[in-house]
Structure formats: C-alpha cells, structure tokens
Amino acid sequence: MTDTSKTIHDIVERLGNLLRADVRAACHAQGVRPVQFEALNYIAQCNRYSDTPQAVAEYLGLTKGTVSQTIKALETKGLLRKCIDKQDKRVVHLKPTARGRRLVDQTAPADSVVRGIDRMTVGEQTAMVEALQRLLRAMQQANGLKTFAPCHTCRFNQQREGGYFCELTQEPLAEDDVKLLCREHQYSPRMGTG
C-alpha cells in the first residue's frame, strides 16, 4: 500500500464515520435502525429492475436473511410495501411508502455533508464529485463489483426520438427512469468499463 492509498483510505473512512454518525442520530430519532435506512434509501433511488430483495442484498453486501428481516421491519413500520410483479408473480418489488420517502428525503443527504459542501466553492464541489465518481468506478472495476449506477451513464441506455430506450431490456425508459440506480448497469465506454 502506498502512502497515497493509505491517506485516501483514512479520509474516506473518516468521512464514512461522520456520515454514519449523522445518519444514526436521524434514524434513532425516527425509530429506524441504520441498516433499515440504508435499504430504504437504496430502494427510494433504484429503478424497477433493481427494487427486489436480491438487489438490496447485492447493493448493501448483506445476506438474504438480513435483508429479509430488514424488509419485514420496514413494512411493519409503514415505510415500505411489497408489490408482486405483473408479468412474473414470483418476483417481488419493494416500494417506499410516502412516509418512507419522506424519511429518506429528510435524512439524505446528511446535515453534516450539506454543511461541509456549503463551505466549498462550486469548482471544488464539481472536482470532488468527479474524483469520488472516478474512485468509485475504479474500486468497482478492480473488485469485480456491480456498478449500481444511474441509467444515463449506462452503455445500454440509448437516447431516441421521444425519450430513452434500454437495449438490454428492450424497453422504453422515461426521463425519470434514467436518473435511477440499476443493478444491470454497465458504464459506457466513454466513462470506463464496468
């Protein structure tokens, strides 16, 4: 490990600790465990191909059992609902309730992140986003991980007359769809492979 790798690791770890502390406090006030919030936050920002219990487990790196318990707790708290897929009755989709979406909107981004970002110039903010995105892509590629990124950065997403189209699923995508996370995402060649 180089000195630079160690420094980056320490900075990212410290940022993560500060973020988790903020989220834990907000979750505690709402009676939600952090892992429950992480699942709900993911579900609130993923697309219809990625809102299944299996996708939640993959995204968070958790076991199916942990995800099952987490989903059950979120349902009991009225933050999440299950919907059976219309084409394949074996598939369950997860949707945040209005109350669940409000919790996500009130908690993410964490206040400490917002306050820190507000102290940076627009140029610094842009550079930070670009650097963090490059680091994330590089870590995903180096470790063979799914990218779980928005469709607009995916190699399968095609902009066509009247909207967008996914070449993988062979389905049209609405403008809102291309902003959501997808478990089938692969970076387009212009953004690096994924």
Side-chain angles (χ1 to χ4, degrees):
M1 179 185 320
T2 65
D3 287 344
T4 302
S5 296
K6 175 75 170 117
T7 300
I8 291 171
H9 174 271
D10 291 347
I11 291 168
V12 170
E13 182 178 48
R14 183 65 180 133
L15 288 169
N17 289 336
L18 292 172
L19 177 62
R20 278 190 299 278
D22 234 18
V23 170
R24 272 194 305 269
C27 288
H28 180 72
Q30 298 292 326
V32 176
R33 296 182 61 215
V35 70
Q36 294 166 355
F37 176 77
E38 290 172 3
L40 187 62
N41 187 39
Y42 165 72
I43 293 163
Q45 58 181 322
C46 69
N47 67 18
R48 65 185 180 265
Y49 310 111
S50 310
D51 60 359
T52 63
Q54 181 179 350
V56 174
E58 290 172 356
Y59 184 80
L60 296 177
L62 299 173
T63 65
K64 290 178 185 178
T66 300
V67 169
S68 178
Q69 299 257 339
T70 299
I71 291 167
K72 190 175 195 175
L74 289 168
E75 275 186 294
T76 300
K77 293 174 187 198
L79 299 170
L80 181 74
R81 62 185 167 83
K82 291 180 181 176
C83 304
I84 303 298
D85 189 273
K86 291 176 179 141
Q87 273 83 37
D88 186 346
K89 304 292 184 209
R90 298 169 297 171
V91 177
V92 174
H93 295 280
L94 306 169
K95 304 291 179 195
T97 62
R99 188 169 159 239
R101 192 162 292 281
R102 275 193 307 275
L103 174 62
V104 168
D105 291 345
Q106 293 167 358
T107 308
D111 290 339
S112 61
V113 172
V114 173
R115 286 191 301 269
I117 290 169
D118 285 348
R119 292 175 173 245
M120 300 169 71
T121 67
V122 171
E124 289 171 328
Q125 292 173 19
T126 300
M128 178 67 65
V129 167
E130 290 170 359
L132 289 172
Q133 285 175 333
R134 283 193 309 273
L135 175 60
L136 176 61
R137 278 195 304 272
M139 287 175 66
Q140 289 167 332
Q141 291 167 356
N143 295 290
L145 301 172
K146 287 189 173 197
T147 55
F148 284 96
C151 290
H152 71 85
T153 63
C154 183
R155 73 184 190 100
F156 298 118
N157 182 44
Q158 300 296 313
Q159 189 166 6
R160 294 187 176 174
E161 189 175 317
Y164 298 91
F165 186 80
C166 178
E167 289 189 339
L168 180 66
T169 64
Q170 294 294 301
E171 294 179 323
L173 300 169
E175 190 158 338
D176 287 342
D177 289 336
V178 300
K179 299 174 188 171
L180 300 174
L181 301 181
C182 184
R183 72 189 287 243
E184 301 300 336
H185 179 275
Q186 293 180 21
Y187 285 112
S188 68
R190 70 181 185 281
M191 299 193 77
T193 58

